[in-house]
């Protein structure tokens, strides 16, 4: 019985690992080539002023840009490749991770949002704008107050300390470091799958779902769409978007209802898995979970009030396809 459970767990983790490796490995290769050609340094110099405004190093901009296009795992791949070149404080890492959580995989995820009934452009701008404002606010407030000021190195992610005495240099050292990063990614996925399964078996996931329902309703969401939105909040935008598409066909949700539900999903989804993943990198839970949910609640509540006052304009925005 126990052996069968362990085998099933490993098989599921391996399938997920293969899926994310298809994203991570090309990104790691591209970033490494960019480093060899000097393109990473060039991009870093170009993006440095913008990152300085957010009190983040230039490398953070490269990592977030990768995340915007490819997703969380692509951003982690970029981070692991750039790891030996920079250090950040816990506050800066938390700010960057929050930005990654707010805005990632924009081309894919906002295409799903568009299919579900909200504007690609409006929801993408909402995610990116919120990420920039929240990330900058966290980094600067922590800098001014001295909160989470401990330095955080990512050398462990590249296995630098483990391989520093091997004497290998150049491409072979990069292959070793990349292999270490991928093995570490598999271990993290395995732990996450185990944790998620345990949360489900212990009934904690159901309790989290029940706790989220009142929050979703407070934000102004229609009670009919709150249950399917909760699924997306916990499991991911892809699942939530698909359910909203299905339920919209059954219950004929209004454009406003879909816009608000999809705005929430765009800002905060996959709360358990993605949050645990980035906390493993050193991000603070109050920044990447509690603060993110609070900001999402405030934004969606504000959108609910605005759209209630001007329903004709909202209908047009919600139906716009860009």
């Amino acid at each position: 019985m126990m052996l069968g459970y362990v085998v099933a767990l490993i098989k599921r983790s391996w399938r997920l690992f293969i899926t994310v490796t298809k994203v991570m490995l090309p990104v790691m290769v591209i970033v490494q080539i960019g480093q060899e050609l000097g393109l990473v340094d060039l991009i870093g110099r170009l993006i440095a002023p913008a990152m300085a405004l957010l009190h983040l190093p230039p490398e953070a901009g490269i990592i977030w840009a990768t995340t915007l296009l490819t997703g969380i795992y692509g951003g982690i791949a970029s981070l692991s490749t750039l790891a030996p070149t920079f250090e950040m404080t816990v506050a800066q890492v938390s700010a960057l991770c929050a930005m990654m959580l707010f805005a990632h995989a924009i081309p894919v995820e906002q295409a799903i949002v568009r299919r579900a009934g909200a504007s690609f452009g409006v929801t993408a701008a909402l995610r990116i704008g919120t990420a920039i404002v929240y990330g900058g606010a966290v980094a600067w407030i922590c800098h001014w107050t001295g909160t989470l000021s401990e330095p955080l190195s990512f050398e462990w992610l590249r296995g630098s300390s483990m391989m520093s005495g091997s004497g290998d240099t150049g491409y072979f050292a990069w292959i070793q470091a990349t292999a270490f990063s991928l093995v570490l990614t598999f271990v993290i996925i395995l732990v996450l799958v185990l944790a998620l399964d345990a949360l489900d078996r212990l009934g904690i996931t159901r309790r989290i779902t029940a706790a989220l329902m009142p929050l979703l309703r407070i934000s102004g969401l229609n009670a009919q769409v709150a249950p399917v939105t909760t699924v997306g909040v916990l499991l991911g935008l892809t699942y939530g978007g698909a359910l909203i598409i299905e339920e919209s066909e059954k219950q004929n949700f209004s454009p406003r209802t879909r816009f608000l539900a999809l705005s929430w999903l765009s800002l905060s989804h996959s709360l358990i898995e993605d949050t645990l993943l980035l906390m493993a990198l050193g991000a603070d839970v109050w920044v990447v979970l509690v603060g993110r949910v609070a900001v999402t609640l405030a934004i969606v509540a504000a959108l609910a009030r605005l759209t209630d006052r001007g329903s004709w304009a909202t209908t047009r925005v919600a139906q716009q396809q860009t």
Side-chain angles (χ1 to χ4, degrees), residues 117-119 122-123 220 254-261 263 300 302-321:
S119 166
V122 171
T123 53
S254 69
R256 176 179 180 271
T257 295
R258 283 178 293 175
F259 175 68
L260 293 176
S263 293
V300 175
L303 289 174
R305 290 197 173 193
L306 288 172
T307 55
D308 190 44
R309 291 176 184 174
S311 58
W312 65 271
T314 305
T315 299
R316 187 174 178 182
V317 168
Q319 290 178 324
Q320 177 188 3
Q321 301 296 310

Side-chain angles (χ1 to χ4, degrees), residues 103-171:
H104 56 264
I106 295 295
V108 173
E109 292 192 343
Q110 298 323 109
I112 295 169
V113 166
R114 180 187 178 192
R115 172 66 182 84
S119 166
F120 182 109
V122 171
T123 53
L126 180 66
R127 293 182 72 179
I128 294 170
T130 302
I132 292 171
V133 172
Y134 183 78
V138 167
W140 278 111
I141 290 171
C142 289
H143 174 66
W144 289 329
T145 61
T147 308
L148 304 177
S149 59
E150 303 85 2
L152 187 62
S153 172
F154 293 109
E155 292 215 355
W156 63 273
L157 193 59
R158 294 283 289 164
S160 302
S161 60
M162 197 177 81
M163 296 180 222
S164 58
S166 65
D168 296 315
T169 59
Y171 292 110

Side-chain angles (χ1 to χ4, degrees), residues 166-188:
S166 65
D168 296 315
T169 59
Y171 292 110
F172 189 68
W174 176 79
I175 291 171
Q176 281 185 308
T178 301
F180 178 87
S181 297
L182 292 175
V183 170
L184 190 60
T185 299
F186 175 72
V187 172
I188 291 172

